């Protein structure tokens, strides 16, 4: 898959997997609370040849109680709590599946357009229960369980959403390791 694309090239929409978001429950075939072997099975074994189960060492619990693994073949970073349950999903802006919420694509978009969509959604809801800004000014939607991070694509930025379960929405930045929130 990576042979025909340059390091900054985004996979065309027509070649991306199409996933739907069920806030706080699932992103595509992945349900929050799954164990690593359930995640591999849900991905149809695609990740079985990918060394993504070699998770990074856990950070000290006072910093963040999560470990992460990469599934480069699908453009995903999966975060597990120390109890080995799925607690976060970051989707690569260039190679990841396209995730839809309310029929709106969330991956690989111009950040300001997606932020404006969240602002517009907030107008039809209780503002303080919808729109928030995480550390470094990253916009998020409390009702969708997502923080909109960014990723470089050459000289431009595209959206790299990070999806979280309900219990992480009170303090999203503290629920995953710091590298989850940086520009990639």
């Amino acid at each position: 898959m990576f042979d025909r694309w340059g390091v900054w090239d985004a996979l065309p929409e027509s070649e991306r997997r199409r996933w739907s978001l069920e806030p706080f429950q699932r992103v595509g075939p992945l349900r929050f609370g799954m164990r690593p072997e359930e995640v591999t099975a849900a991905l149809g074994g695609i990740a079985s040849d990918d060394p993504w189960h070699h998770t990074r060492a856990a950070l000290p619990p006072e910093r963040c109680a999560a470990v992460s693994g990469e599934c480069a073949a699908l453009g995903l970073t999966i975060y597990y709590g120390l109890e080995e349950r799925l607690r976060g999903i970051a989707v690569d802006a260039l190679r990841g599946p396209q995730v839809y919420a309310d029929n709106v694509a969330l991956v690989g978009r111009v950040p300001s357009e997606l932020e404006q969509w969240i602002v517009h959604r907030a107008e039809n809801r209780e503002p303080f229960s919808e729109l928030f800004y995480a550390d470094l000014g990253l916009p998020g939607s409390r009702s969708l369980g997502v923080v909109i991070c960014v990723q470089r694509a050459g000289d431009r930025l595209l959206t790299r959403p990070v999806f979280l379960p309900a219990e992480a929405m009170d303090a999203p930045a503290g629920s995953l390791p710091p590298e989850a929130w940086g520009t990639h």
Side-chain angles (χ1 to χ4, degrees), residues 100-124:
Y100 291 88
D102 298 339
N103 295 316
V104 172
L106 304 179
V107 180
R109 302 270 315 270
V110 173
S112 60
E113 291 175 1
L114 198 52
E115 180 180 19
Q116 187 57 46
W117 177 73
I118 293 172
V119 168
H120 180 70
R121 274 183 102 246
E123 293 170 358
N124 299 323

Side-chain angles (χ1 to χ4, degrees), residues 81-145:
L82 293 180
E83 71 286 354
E84 293 190 17
R85 299 286 188 170
L86 181 61
R87 70 184 280 164
I89 303 163
V91 181
D92 186 270
L94 304 178
R95 306 277 186 255
Q98 184 55 266
V99 179
Y100 291 88
D102 298 339
N103 295 316
V104 172
L106 304 179
V107 180
R109 302 270 315 270
V110 173
S112 60
E113 291 175 1
L114 198 52
E115 180 180 19
Q116 187 57 46
W117 177 73
I118 293 172
V119 168
H120 180 70
R121 274 183 102 246
E123 293 170 358
N124 299 323
R125 293 171 169 73
E126 217 175 294
F128 296 111
S129 67
E130 174 61 18
L131 176 68
F132 72 94
Y133 288 91
D135 291 350
L136 303 174
L138 299 171
S141 167
R142 290 191 197 286
S143 68
L144 293 175

Side-chain angles (χ1 to χ4, degrees), residues 12 100 114 139-140 151 154 159 183:
Y100 291 88
L114 198 52
Q151 182 174 340
T159 56
T183 300

Side-chain angles (χ1 to χ4, degrees), residues 28-70:
L30 304 178
R31 287 183 335 277
F32 289 108
M34 290 176 119
R35 294 195 174 281
E37 59 275 7
E38 294 173 308
V39 169
T40 297
L43 296 174
I46 294 169
S48 62
D49 294 331
D50 204 342
W52 76 296
H53 269 186
H54 300 292
T55 55
R56 297 181 195 132
L59 294 171
E62 65 274 6
R63 285 198 52 212
C64 178
V67 295
S68 64
E70 301 286 331

Side-chain angles (χ1 to χ4, degrees), residues 152-175:
R152 283 189 59 197
D155 291 336
R156 48 192 190 118
L157 295 175
L158 298 175
T159 56
R160 183 185 63 81
V162 177
F163 299 96
L164 300 162
E167 61 270 12
M169 294 312 295
D170 288 336
S175 65

